Amino acid sequence: MIQILNHLTDYIEEHITEEVNIGDFASKYGTTEHQLKRMFYYITGQSLLGYVRMRKFACANQDIIAGSSITEVAFKYDYQSIEGFSRAFREWCGYLPSEVAKNKIQKTYPKLTFYINIRGGNSMEFRIEKKTSFNLIGVTKKVPVQFEGVNQSIVELAQSITAQQREEMHEMGDLYPQKALNITDGFSDKWLNEQGYLNHMIGFASSKNNQYSDLEQITVKESDWAIFPVQGEFPKVFQDTMSQIYSEWLPTSNYELMDVPSISFTDFKEGETNLYSEIWLAIKEK
């Protein structure tokens, strides 16, 4: 994956004055646009589309200082009007293009180069399990994206579950761990900027088909799963582990993610914060 990301930044430079087609690039390297954007975000802390935008403005800044007209630069970097370009450029730079041209103001944003950095020598415990097709049965809600802290919308979803629904889910939940799971799906570019919403289900894993009208069902196809046990202060250690999985483990492993909802559960104990969790990610060999 590290090599693919370096090829990607080269590709962006080659097409910097065009609309960069991430989907075509991903297909060429046997991955998906979604996976590529997700990996880029976890490693760099910024969205891939945001990076492309920053590189375009940095190159435009150089062109303006070199003497190109603002009109020429605006259309070169795929803006339809000088006004739109000037407004967006000022948001990035803090100055209008005309001010940059007059005062030779330089703002840079270097091209990224990726390499493997083993930080702290921390090992990650995980296991690979093959699971046959199973169902996830529970209640769902669109929740806002939130990378740190307790997501209050998920708390509200949990609190909204009725005693009847809870009883029904327990009855249907005949597969490990036979307790409430957090199931997340519906990732998009906005998710990569910590914006927008995700589909979140609280439910149980089941070998049965849902028979209750007040519950929903997601069918998960047969897959291999990387399962990461997590022990520590919740939710901080859980969220730190999730970030480490994407930024360190996945790029150096021989696996890539499948387009399957991510699953996790936590053994909540009243009054305790040192909790046990598991993170499940569906994977396939590269």
Side-chain angles (χ1 to χ4, degrees), residues 53-88:
R53 184 172 179 270
M54 296 293 191
R55 283 296 301 143
K56 283 179 178 285
F57 283 135
C59 292
N61 186 284
Q62 292 176 345
D63 289 348
I64 292 170
I65 289 176
S68 296
S69 72
I70 296 170
T71 301
E72 179 183 358
V73 173
F75 288 105
K76 177 179 179 180
Y77 291 97
D78 207 28
Y79 277 82
Q80 301 304 309
S81 71
I82 299 172
E83 292 78 13
F85 170 74
S86 296
R87 184 168 53 251

PDB file of all heavy atoms in Angstrom, residues 53-88:
ATOM      1  N   ARG A  53      -6.454  19.454  -3.714  1.00  0.00           N
ATOM      2  CA  ARG A  53      -6.786  20.878  -3.748  1.00  0.00           C
ATOM      3  C   ARG A  53      -5.592  21.724  -3.277  1.00  0.00           C
ATOM      4  O   ARG A  53      -5.262  22.746  -3.899  1.00  0.00           O
ATOM      5  CB  ARG A  53      -8.012  21.122  -2.858  1.00  0.00           C
ATOM      6  CG  ARG A  53      -8.534  22.546  -2.854  1.00  0.00           C
ATOM      7  CD  ARG A  53      -9.863  22.600  -2.101  1.00  0.00           C
ATOM      8  NE  ARG A  53     -10.401  23.951  -2.052  1.00  0.00           N
ATOM      9  CZ  ARG A  53     -10.144  24.822  -1.085  1.00  0.00           C
ATOM     10  NH1 ARG A  53      -9.348  24.481  -0.091  1.00  0.00           N
ATOM     11  NH2 ARG A  53     -10.673  26.028  -1.111  1.00  0.00           N
ATOM     12  N   MET A  54      -4.949  21.303  -2.191  1.00  0.00           N
ATOM     13  CA  MET A  54      -3.799  22.051  -1.664  1.00  0.00           C
ATOM     14  C   MET A  54      -2.656  22.072  -2.675  1.00  0.00           C
ATOM     15  O   MET A  54      -1.996  23.104  -2.861  1.00  0.00           O
ATOM     16  CB  MET A  54      -3.323  21.420  -0.353  1.00  0.00           C
ATOM     17  CG  MET A  54      -4.318  21.480   0.774  1.00  0.00           C
ATOM     18  SD  MET A  54      -4.635  23.152   1.344  1.00  0.00           S
ATOM     19  CE  MET A  54      -5.562  22.804   2.839  1.00  0.00           C
ATOM     20  N   ARG A  55      -2.410  20.953  -3.339  1.00  0.00           N
ATOM     21  CA  ARG A  55      -1.325  20.902  -4.321  1.00  0.00           C
ATOM     22  C   ARG A  55      -1.631  21.801  -5.520  1.00  0.00           C
ATOM     23  O   ARG A  55      -0.736  22.461  -6.054  1.00  0.00           O
ATOM     24  CB  ARG A  55      -1.102  19.463  -4.791  1.00  0.00           C
ATOM     25  CG  ARG A  55      -0.359  18.589  -3.807  1.00  0.00           C
ATOM     26  CD  ARG A  55       1.066  19.084  -3.558  1.00  0.00           C
ATOM     27  NE  ARG A  55       1.842  19.116  -4.794  1.00  0.00           N
ATOM     28  CZ  ARG A  55       2.741  20.047  -5.095  1.00  0.00           C
ATOM     29  NH1 ARG A  55       2.987  21.043  -4.260  1.00  0.00           N
ATOM     30  NH2 ARG A  55       3.415  19.989  -6.241  1.00  0.00           N
ATOM     31  N   LYS A  56      -2.889  21.833  -5.933  1.00  0.00           N
ATOM     32  CA  LYS A  56      -3.265  22.711  -7.053  1.00  0.00           C
ATOM     33  C   LYS A  56      -2.991  24.175  -6.702  1.00  0.00           C
ATOM     34  O   LYS A  56      -2.427  24.925  -7.517  1.00  0.00           O
ATOM     35  CB  LYS A  56      -4.747  22.522  -7.404  1.00  0.00           C
ATOM     36  CG  LYS A  56      -5.065  21.265  -8.208  1.00  0.00           C
ATOM     37  CD  LYS A  56      -6.557  21.164  -8.479  1.00  0.00           C
ATOM     38  CE  LYS A  56      -6.897  19.952  -9.329  1.00  0.00           C
ATOM     39  NZ  LYS A  56      -6.531  20.133 -10.747  1.00  0.00           N
ATOM     40  N   PHE A  57      -3.376  24.582  -5.500  1.00  0.00           N
ATOM     41  CA  PHE A  57      -3.158  25.973  -5.106  1.00  0.00           C
ATOM     42  C   PHE A  57      -1.674  26.290  -4.965  1.00  0.00           C
ATOM     43  O   PHE A  57      -1.236  27.396  -5.318  1.00  0.00           O
ATOM     44  CB  PHE A  57      -3.890  26.274  -3.800  1.00  0.00           C
ATOM     45  CG  PHE A  57      -5.366  26.459  -3.971  1.00  0.00           C
ATOM     46  CD1 PHE A  57      -6.259  25.854  -3.100  1.00  0.00           C
ATOM     47  CD2 PHE A  57      -5.880  27.231  -4.990  1.00  0.00           C
ATOM     48  CE1 PHE A  57      -7.629  26.028  -3.249  1.00  0.00           C
ATOM     49  CE2 PHE A  57      -7.246  27.406  -5.157  1.00  0.00           C
ATOM     50  CZ  PHE A  57      -8.125  26.800  -4.279  1.00  0.00           C
ATOM     51  N   ALA A  58      -0.886  25.340  -4.442  1.00  0.00           N
ATOM     52  CA  ALA A  58       0.548  25.574  -4.306  1.00  0.00           C
ATOM     53  C   ALA A  58       1.192  25.772  -5.675  1.00  0.00           C
ATOM     54  O   ALA A  58       2.046  26.654  -5.859  1.00  0.00           O
ATOM     55  CB  ALA A  58       1.204  24.412  -3.560  1.00  0.00           C
ATOM     56  N   CYS A  59       0.785  24.951  -6.645  1.00  0.00           N
ATOM     57  CA  CYS A  59       1.318  25.102  -8.003  1.00  0.00           C
ATOM     58  C   CYS A  59       0.835  26.406  -8.641  1.00  0.00           C
ATOM     59  O   CYS A  59       1.595  27.079  -9.356  1.00  0.00           O
ATOM     60  CB  CYS A  59       0.896  23.907  -8.867  1.00  0.00           C
ATOM     61  SG  CYS A  59       1.658  22.343  -8.374  1.00  0.00           S
ATOM     62  N   ALA A  60      -0.421  26.755  -8.385  1.00  0.00           N
ATOM     63  CA  ALA A  60      -0.949  28.010  -8.902  1.00  0.00           C
ATOM     64  C   ALA A  60      -0.185  29.196  -8.318  1.00  0.00           C
ATOM     65  O   ALA A  60       0.117  30.169  -9.030  1.00  0.00           O
ATOM     66  CB  ALA A  60      -2.437  28.128  -8.568  1.00  0.00           C
ATOM     67  N   ASN A  61       0.157  29.124  -7.030  1.00  0.00           N
ATOM     68  CA  ASN A  61       0.943  30.174  -6.388  1.00  0.00           C
ATOM     69  C   ASN A  61       2.281  30.365  -7.097  1.00  0.00           C
ATOM     70  O   ASN A  61       2.697  31.498  -7.389  1.00  0.00           O
ATOM     71  CB  ASN A  61       1.144  29.814  -4.914  1.00  0.00           C
ATOM     72  CG  ASN A  61       1.830  30.909  -4.120  1.00  0.00           C
ATOM     73  OD1 ASN A  61       3.028  31.100  -4.224  1.00  0.00           O
ATOM     74  ND2 ASN A  61       1.063  31.617  -3.300  1.00  0.00           N
ATOM     75  N   GLN A  62       2.945  29.260  -7.422  1.00  0.00           N
ATOM     76  CA  GLN A  62       4.234  29.333  -8.121  1.00  0.00           C
ATOM     77  C   GLN A  62       4.079  29.963  -9.502  1.00  0.00           C
ATOM     78  O   GLN A  62       4.911  30.771  -9.925  1.00  0.00           O
ATOM     79  CB  GLN A  62       4.835  27.926  -8.242  1.00  0.00           C
ATOM     80  CG  GLN A  62       5.265  27.312  -6.921  1.00  0.00           C
ATOM     81  CD  GLN A  62       5.753  25.890  -7.079  1.00  0.00           C
ATOM     82  OE1 GLN A  62       5.530  25.251  -8.114  1.00  0.00           O
ATOM     83  NE2 GLN A  62       6.411  25.368  -6.065  1.00  0.00           N
ATOM     84  N   ASP A  63       3.006  29.582 -10.204  1.00  0.00           N
ATOM     85  CA  ASP A  63       2.775  30.116 -11.546  1.00  0.00           C
ATOM     86  C   ASP A  63       2.542  31.625 -11.513  1.00  0.00           C
ATOM     87  O   ASP A  63       3.025  32.364 -12.378  1.00  0.00           O
ATOM     88  CB  ASP A  63       1.573  29.426 -12.192  1.00  0.00           C
ATOM     89  CG  ASP A  63       1.852  27.983 -12.561  1.00  0.00           C
ATOM     90  OD1 ASP A  63       3.023  27.577 -12.531  1.00  0.00           O
ATOM     91  OD2 ASP A  63       0.877  27.248 -12.863  1.00  0.00           O
ATOM     92  N   ILE A  64       1.771  32.082 -10.516  1.00  0.00           N
ATOM     93  CA  ILE A  64       1.486  33.521 -10.400  1.00  0.00           C
ATOM     94  C   ILE A  64       2.767  34.296 -10.136  1.00  0.00           C
ATOM     95  O   ILE A  64       3.028  35.336 -10.754  1.00  0.00           O
ATOM     96  CB  ILE A  64       0.449  33.774  -9.292  1.00  0.00           C
ATOM     97  CG1 ILE A  64      -0.913  33.208  -9.706  1.00  0.00           C
ATOM     98  CG2 ILE A  64       0.331  35.271  -8.993  1.00  0.00           C
ATOM     99  CD1 ILE A  64      -1.942  33.188  -8.582  1.00  0.00           C
ATOM    100  N   ILE A  65       3.603  33.806  -9.230  1.00  0.00           N
ATOM    101  CA  ILE A  65       4.864  34.483  -8.918  1.00  0.00           C
ATOM    102  C   ILE A  65       5.796  34.480 -10.130  1.00  0.00           C
ATOM    103  O   ILE A  65       6.548  35.437 -10.361  1.00  0.00           O
ATOM    104  CB  ILE A  65       5.543  33.807  -7.710  1.00  0.00           C
ATOM    105  CG1 ILE A  65       4.739  34.119  -6.435  1.00  0.00           C
ATOM    106  CG2 ILE A  65       6.992  34.268  -7.538  1.00  0.00           C
ATOM    107  CD1 ILE A  65       5.241  33.427  -5.205  1.00  0.00           C
ATOM    108  N   ALA A  66       5.703  33.414 -10.951  1.00  0.00           N
ATOM    109  CA  ALA A  66       6.552  33.320 -12.148  1.00  0.00           C
ATOM    110  C   ALA A  66       6.081  34.246 -13.262  1.00  0.00           C
ATOM    111  O   ALA A  66       6.756  34.362 -14.298  1.00  0.00           O
ATOM    112  CB  ALA A  66       6.587  31.877 -12.644  1.00  0.00           C
ATOM    113  N   GLY A  67       4.919  34.891 -13.084  1.00  0.00           N
ATOM    114  CA  GLY A  67       4.485  35.881 -14.065  1.00  0.00           C
ATOM    115  C   GLY A  67       3.261  35.522 -14.875  1.00  0.00           C
ATOM    116  O   GLY A  67       2.826  36.310 -15.731  1.00  0.00           O
ATOM    117  N   SER A  68       2.680  34.341 -14.647  1.00  0.00           N
ATOM    118  CA  SER A  68       1.460  33.973 -15.381  1.00  0.00           C
ATOM    119  C   SER A  68       0.311  34.860 -14.933  1.00  0.00           C
ATOM    120  O   SER A  68       0.216  35.253 -13.768  1.00  0.00           O
ATOM    121  CB  SER A  68       1.110  32.504 -15.124  1.00  0.00           C
ATOM    122  OG  SER A  68       2.106  31.642 -15.623  1.00  0.00           O
ATOM    123  N   SER A  69      -0.586  35.169 -15.837  1.00  0.00           N
ATOM    124  CA  SER A  69      -1.738  35.994 -15.485  1.00  0.00           C
ATOM    125  C   SER A  69      -2.712  35.195 -14.630  1.00  0.00           C
ATOM    126  O   SER A  69      -2.768  33.961 -14.709  1.00  0.00           O
ATOM    127  CB  SER A  69      -2.444  36.487 -16.739  1.00  0.00           C
ATOM    128  OG  SER A  69      -3.132  35.424 -17.376  1.00  0.00           O
ATOM    129  N   ILE A  70      -3.496  35.904 -13.832  1.00  0.00           N
ATOM    130  CA  ILE A  70      -4.455  35.244 -12.962  1.00  0.00           C
ATOM    131  C   ILE A  70      -5.511  34.521 -13.785  1.00  0.00           C
ATOM    132  O   ILE A  70      -5.941  33.412 -13.445  1.00  0.00           O
ATOM    133  CB  ILE A  70      -5.099  36.271 -12.009  1.00  0.00           C
ATOM    134  CG1 ILE A  70      -4.014  36.848 -11.085  1.00  0.00           C
ATOM    135  CG2 ILE A  70      -6.209  35.634 -11.178  1.00  0.00           C
ATOM    136  CD1 ILE A  70      -4.456  38.023 -10.277  1.00  0.00           C
ATOM    137  N   THR A  71      -5.916  35.116 -14.905  1.00  0.00           N
ATOM    138  CA  THR A  71      -6.884  34.456 -15.793  1.00  0.00           C
ATOM    139  C   THR A  71      -6.333  33.134 -16.307  1.00  0.00           C
ATOM    140  O   THR A  71      -7.009  32.098 -16.288  1.00  0.00           O
ATOM    141  CB  THR A  71      -7.225  35.374 -16.980  1.00  0.00           C
ATOM    142  OG1 THR A  71      -7.769  36.592 -16.493  1.00  0.00           O
ATOM    143  CG2 THR A  71      -8.213  34.695 -17.918  1.00  0.00           C
ATOM    144  N   GLU A  72      -5.090  33.162 -16.763  1.00  0.00           N
ATOM    145  CA  GLU A  72      -4.446  31.958 -17.289  1.00  0.00           C
ATOM    146  C   GLU A  72      -4.353  30.873 -16.219  1.00  0.00           C
ATOM    147  O   GLU A  72      -4.651  29.697 -16.470  1.00  0.00           O
ATOM    148  CB  GLU A  72      -3.041  32.325 -17.784  1.00  0.00           C
ATOM    149  CG  GLU A  72      -2.256  31.154 -18.347  1.00  0.00           C
ATOM    150  CD  GLU A  72      -0.842  31.542 -18.748  1.00  0.00           C
ATOM    151  OE1 GLU A  72      -0.496  32.742 -18.622  1.00  0.00           O
ATOM    152  OE2 GLU A  72      -0.092  30.649 -19.169  1.00  0.00           O
ATOM    153  N   VAL A  73      -3.967  31.268 -15.009  1.00  0.00           N
ATOM    154  CA  VAL A  73      -3.805  30.296 -13.923  1.00  0.00           C
ATOM    155  C   VAL A  73      -5.152  29.721 -13.496  1.00  0.00           C
ATOM    156  O   VAL A  73      -5.280  28.511 -13.258  1.00  0.00           O
ATOM    157  CB  VAL A  73      -3.091  30.957 -12.717  1.00  0.00           C
ATOM    158  CG1 VAL A  73      -3.079  30.010 -11.515  1.00  0.00           C
ATOM    159  CG2 VAL A  73      -1.673  31.347 -13.094  1.00  0.00           C
ATOM    160  N   ALA A  74      -6.179  30.563 -13.425  1.00  0.00           N
ATOM    161  CA  ALA A  74      -7.506  30.096 -13.008  1.00  0.00           C
ATOM    162  C   ALA A  74      -8.016  28.995 -13.924  1.00  0.00           C
ATOM    163  O   ALA A  74      -8.470  27.940 -13.464  1.00  0.00           O
ATOM    164  CB  ALA A  74      -8.484  31.270 -12.986  1.00  0.00           C
ATOM    165  N   PHE A  75      -7.911  29.213 -15.234  1.00  0.00           N
ATOM    166  CA  PHE A  75      -8.409  28.209 -16.172  1.00  0.00           C
ATOM    167  C   PHE A  75      -7.476  27.004 -16.275  1.00  0.00           C
ATOM    168  O   PHE A  75      -7.925  25.889 -16.528  1.00  0.00           O
ATOM    169  CB  PHE A  75      -8.647  28.846 -17.535  1.00  0.00           C
ATOM    170  CG  PHE A  75      -9.841  29.756 -17.556  1.00  0.00           C
ATOM    171  CD1 PHE A  75      -9.696  31.134 -17.570  1.00  0.00           C
ATOM    172  CD2 PHE A  75     -11.128  29.228 -17.525  1.00  0.00           C
ATOM    173  CE1 PHE A  75     -10.799  31.971 -17.566  1.00  0.00           C
ATOM    174  CE2 PHE A  75     -12.248  30.051 -17.523  1.00  0.00           C
ATOM    175  CZ  PHE A  75     -12.080  31.439 -17.537  1.00  0.00           C
ATOM    176  N   LYS A  76      -6.186  27.226 -16.040  1.00  0.00           N
ATOM    177  CA  LYS A  76      -5.229  26.122 -16.068  1.00  0.00           C
ATOM    178  C   LYS A  76      -5.561  25.084 -15.002  1.00  0.00           C
ATOM    179  O   LYS A  76      -5.437  23.873 -15.228  1.00  0.00           O
ATOM    180  CB  LYS A  76      -3.813  26.654 -15.846  1.00  0.00           C
ATOM    181  CG  LYS A  76      -2.741  25.576 -15.785  1.00  0.00           C
ATOM    182  CD  LYS A  76      -1.351  26.178 -15.590  1.00  0.00           C
ATOM    183  CE  LYS A  76      -0.276  25.100 -15.497  1.00  0.00           C
ATOM    184  NZ  LYS A  76       1.075  25.676 -15.301  1.00  0.00           N
ATOM    185  N   TYR A  77      -6.000  25.567 -13.819  1.00  0.00           N
ATOM    186  CA  TYR A  77      -6.298  24.654 -12.723  1.00  0.00           C
ATOM    187  C   TYR A  77      -7.791  24.366 -12.594  1.00  0.00           C
ATOM    188  O   TYR A  77      -8.290  24.079 -11.517  1.00  0.00           O
ATOM    189  CB  TYR A  77      -5.684  25.196 -11.424  1.00  0.00           C
ATOM    190  CG  TYR A  77      -4.173  25.135 -11.471  1.00  0.00           C
ATOM    191  CD1 TYR A  77      -3.431  26.257 -11.821  1.00  0.00           C
ATOM    192  CD2 TYR A  77      -3.492  23.943 -11.256  1.00  0.00           C
ATOM    193  CE1 TYR A  77      -2.047  26.201 -11.916  1.00  0.00           C
ATOM    194  CE2 TYR A  77      -2.109  23.871 -11.341  1.00  0.00           C
ATOM    195  CZ  TYR A  77      -1.396  25.002 -11.678  1.00  0.00           C
ATOM    196  OH  TYR A  77      -0.022  24.923 -11.779  1.00  0.00           O
ATOM    197  N   ASP A  78      -8.477  24.461 -13.725  1.00  0.00           N
ATOM    198  CA  ASP A  78      -9.833  23.929 -13.880  1.00  0.00           C
ATOM    199  C   ASP A  78     -10.904  24.721 -13.152  1.00  0.00           C
ATOM    200  O   ASP A  78     -11.912  24.152 -12.718  1.00  0.00           O
ATOM    201  CB  ASP A  78      -9.877  22.458 -13.424  1.00  0.00           C
ATOM    202  CG  ASP A  78     -10.973  21.674 -14.117  1.00  0.00           C
ATOM    203  OD1 ASP A  78     -11.322  22.030 -15.251  1.00  0.00           O
ATOM    204  OD2 ASP A  78     -11.492  20.717 -13.508  1.00  0.00           O
ATOM    205  N   TYR A  79     -10.699  26.030 -12.992  1.00  0.00           N
ATOM    206  CA  TYR A  79     -11.754  26.888 -12.457  1.00  0.00           C
ATOM    207  C   TYR A  79     -12.500  27.539 -13.620  1.00  0.00           C
ATOM    208  O   TYR A  79     -11.892  27.915 -14.619  1.00  0.00           O
ATOM    209  CB  TYR A  79     -11.180  27.952 -11.516  1.00  0.00           C
ATOM    210  CG  TYR A  79     -10.964  27.419 -10.119  1.00  0.00           C
ATOM    211  CD1 TYR A  79      -9.821  26.683  -9.801  1.00  0.00           C
ATOM    212  CD2 TYR A  79     -11.914  27.617  -9.118  1.00  0.00           C
ATOM    213  CE1 TYR A  79      -9.631  26.169  -8.528  1.00  0.00           C
ATOM    214  CE2 TYR A  79     -11.739  27.110  -7.842  1.00  0.00           C
ATOM    215  CZ  TYR A  79     -10.595  26.386  -7.555  1.00  0.00           C
ATOM    216  OH  TYR A  79     -10.413  25.872  -6.290  1.00  0.00           O
ATOM    217  N   GLN A  80     -13.801  27.705 -13.454  1.00  0.00           N
ATOM    218  CA  GLN A  80     -14.640  28.214 -14.529  1.00  0.00           C
ATOM    219  C   GLN A  80     -14.725  29.737 -14.545  1.00  0.00           C
ATOM    220  O   GLN A  80     -15.205  30.320 -15.505  1.00  0.00           O
ATOM    221  CB  GLN A  80     -16.049  27.624 -14.408  1.00  0.00           C
ATOM    222  CG  GLN A  80     -16.078  26.101 -14.457  1.00  0.00           C
ATOM    223  CD  GLN A  80     -15.423  25.547 -15.713  1.00  0.00           C
ATOM    224  OE1 GLN A  80     -15.757  25.980 -16.819  1.00  0.00           O
ATOM    225  NE2 GLN A  80     -14.495  24.617 -15.552  1.00  0.00           N
ATOM    226  N   SER A  81     -14.273  30.372 -13.462  1.00  0.00           N
ATOM    227  CA  SER A  81     -14.307  31.832 -13.416  1.00  0.00           C
ATOM    228  C   SER A  81     -13.147  32.344 -12.570  1.00  0.00           C
ATOM    229  O   SER A  81     -12.670  31.653 -11.666  1.00  0.00           O
ATOM    230  CB  SER A  81     -15.627  32.331 -12.821  1.00  0.00           C
ATOM    231  OG  SER A  81     -15.690  32.058 -11.430  1.00  0.00           O
ATOM    232  N   ILE A  82     -12.715  33.555 -12.883  1.00  0.00           N
ATOM    233  CA  ILE A  82     -11.641  34.184 -12.112  1.00  0.00           C
ATOM    234  C   ILE A  82     -12.121  34.457 -10.693  1.00  0.00           C
ATOM    235  O   ILE A  82     -11.365  34.295  -9.720  1.00  0.00           O
ATOM    236  CB  ILE A  82     -11.192  35.491 -12.781  1.00  0.00           C
ATOM    237  CG1 ILE A  82     -10.662  35.205 -14.185  1.00  0.00           C
ATOM    238  CG2 ILE A  82     -10.133  36.199 -11.950  1.00  0.00           C
ATOM    239  CD1 ILE A  82     -10.377  36.450 -14.998  1.00  0.00           C
ATOM    240  N   GLU A  83     -13.392  34.847 -10.545  1.00  0.00           N
ATOM    241  CA  GLU A  83     -13.934  35.152  -9.228  1.00  0.00           C
ATOM    242  C   GLU A  83     -13.919  33.917  -8.330  1.00  0.00           C
ATOM    243  O   GLU A  83     -13.536  33.989  -7.155  1.00  0.00           O
ATOM    244  CB  GLU A  83     -15.370  35.682  -9.359  1.00  0.00           C
ATOM    245  CG  GLU A  83     -15.487  37.049 -10.009  1.00  0.00           C
ATOM    246  CD  GLU A  83     -15.336  36.978 -11.535  1.00  0.00           C
ATOM    247  OE1 GLU A  83     -15.387  35.849 -12.099  1.00  0.00           O
ATOM    248  OE2 GLU A  83     -15.156  38.050 -12.155  1.00  0.00           O
ATOM    249  N   GLY A  84     -14.352  32.778  -8.883  1.00  0.00           N
ATOM    250  CA  GLY A  84     -14.359  31.543  -8.096  1.00  0.00           C
ATOM    251  C   GLY A  84     -12.963  31.127  -7.686  1.00  0.00           C
ATOM    252  O   GLY A  84     -12.733  30.705  -6.541  1.00  0.00           O
ATOM    253  N   PHE A  85     -12.021  31.231  -8.612  1.00  0.00           N
ATOM    254  CA  PHE A  85     -10.632  30.892  -8.298  1.00  0.00           C
ATOM    255  C   PHE A  85     -10.073  31.828  -7.233  1.00  0.00           C
ATOM    256  O   PHE A  85      -9.431  31.374  -6.272  1.00  0.00           O
ATOM    257  CB  PHE A  85      -9.777  30.966  -9.561  1.00  0.00           C
ATOM    258  CG  PHE A  85      -8.303  30.856  -9.292  1.00  0.00           C
ATOM    259  CD1 PHE A  85      -7.735  29.635  -8.953  1.00  0.00           C
ATOM    260  CD2 PHE A  85      -7.489  31.978  -9.363  1.00  0.00           C
ATOM    261  CE1 PHE A  85      -6.369  29.531  -8.685  1.00  0.00           C
ATOM    262  CE2 PHE A  85      -6.128  31.892  -9.109  1.00  0.00           C
ATOM    263  CZ  PHE A  85      -5.567  30.661  -8.767  1.00  0.00           C
ATOM    264  N   SER A  86     -10.294  33.133  -7.382  1.00  0.00           N
ATOM    265  CA  SER A  86      -9.750  34.117  -6.442  1.00  0.00           C
ATOM    266  C   SER A  86     -10.291  33.889  -5.037  1.00  0.00           C
ATOM    267  O   SER A  86      -9.554  33.965  -4.040  1.00  0.00           O
ATOM    268  CB  SER A  86     -10.073  35.529  -6.903  1.00  0.00           C
ATOM    269  OG  SER A  86      -9.448  35.807  -8.138  1.00  0.00           O
ATOM    270  N   ARG A  87     -11.579  33.591  -4.943  1.00  0.00           N
ATOM    271  CA  ARG A  87     -12.201  33.356  -3.641  1.00  0.00           C
ATOM    272  C   ARG A  87     -11.611  32.105  -2.978  1.00  0.00           C
ATOM    273  O   ARG A  87     -11.252  32.123  -1.798  1.00  0.00           O
ATOM    274  CB  ARG A  87     -13.710  33.213  -3.808  1.00  0.00           C
ATOM    275  CG  ARG A  87     -14.468  33.050  -2.502  1.00  0.00           C
ATOM    276  CD  ARG A  87     -15.969  33.211  -2.714  1.00  0.00           C
ATOM    277  NE  ARG A  87     -16.469  32.337  -3.766  1.00  0.00           N
ATOM    278  CZ  ARG A  87     -16.884  32.769  -4.962  1.00  0.00           C
ATOM    279  NH1 ARG A  87     -16.825  34.052  -5.256  1.00  0.00           N
ATOM    280  NH2 ARG A  87     -17.341  31.920  -5.863  1.00  0.00           N
ATOM    281  N   ALA A  88     -11.502  31.018  -3.736  1.00  0.00           N
ATOM    282  CA  ALA A  88     -10.960  29.773  -3.188  1.00  0.00           C
ATOM    283  C   ALA A  88      -9.483  29.918  -2.842  1.00  0.00           C
ATOM    284  O   ALA A  88      -9.018  29.400  -1.825  1.00  0.00           O
ATOM    285  CB  ALA A  88     -11.164  28.637  -4.192  1.00  0.00           C
TER     286      ALA A  88
END
